[in-house]
Amino acid sequence: MDDHVPKKEKKRRLEEVLNKQKEHSHEYDAQFVGNTVKVLVEGEARKDNKVYGKNEYRKTVEFDGTKAMIGEMRKVKLESENTGRLVNTD
């Protein structure tokens, strides 16, 4: 089967889908901001003195912590969302 869709159009369509997904993710994540959630700490984040884990909705949460917290459940108040990640900046 021949491909009749120009490469430029394919790129435009992909960008449209990715933008919609980003918009949807932002709206979904925004509902958690301001709430306190339980997080299972999974590891150290790239930033100093930060750890990350997943909440009960399988969303990644990043917050202040140490390597000693890995494997623990922690209550975290979510203050913002950023590119698919929920963040606590305390």
Side-chain angles (χ1 to χ4, degrees):
M1 186 170 158
D2 290 333
D3 188 357
H4 297 290
V5 180
K7 196 170 193 169
K8 189 175 182 179
E9 177 62 13
K10 289 180 187 179
K11 185 177 179 180
R12 185 197 67 76
R13 290 177 185 177
L14 177 59
E15 287 177 11
E16 184 178 336
V17 169
L18 293 175
N19 286 335
K20 281 288 186 190
Q21 176 60 43
K22 188 184 287 186
E23 182 182 315
H24 175 75
S25 293
H26 173 72
E27 290 172 6
Y28 179 76
D29 291 348
Q31 73 180 327
F32 296 105
V33 175
N35 295 323
T36 299
V37 296
K38 290 180 185 176
V39 177
L40 174 60
V41 183
E42 296 179 343
E44 293 179 281
R46 292 185 183 129
K47 297 176 185 171
D48 290 340
N49 303 316
K50 298 274 186 185
V51 292
Y52 71 91
K54 297 274 199 276
N55 69 7
E56 60 261 47
Y57 301 101
R58 293 181 289 173
K59 293 299 298 179
T60 301
V61 178
E62 186 177 281
F63 57 99
D64 292 337
T66 66
K67 187 176 183 176
M69 293 178 171
I70 296 173
E72 295 179 1
M73 290 293 290
R74 292 290 178 136
K75 287 186 177 181
V76 179
K77 183 171 182 178
L78 303 174
E79 296 177 346
S80 65
E81 61 87 19
N82 186 2
T83 318
R85 224 168 235 258
L86 298 164
V87 181
N88 170 280
T89 55
D90 281 343

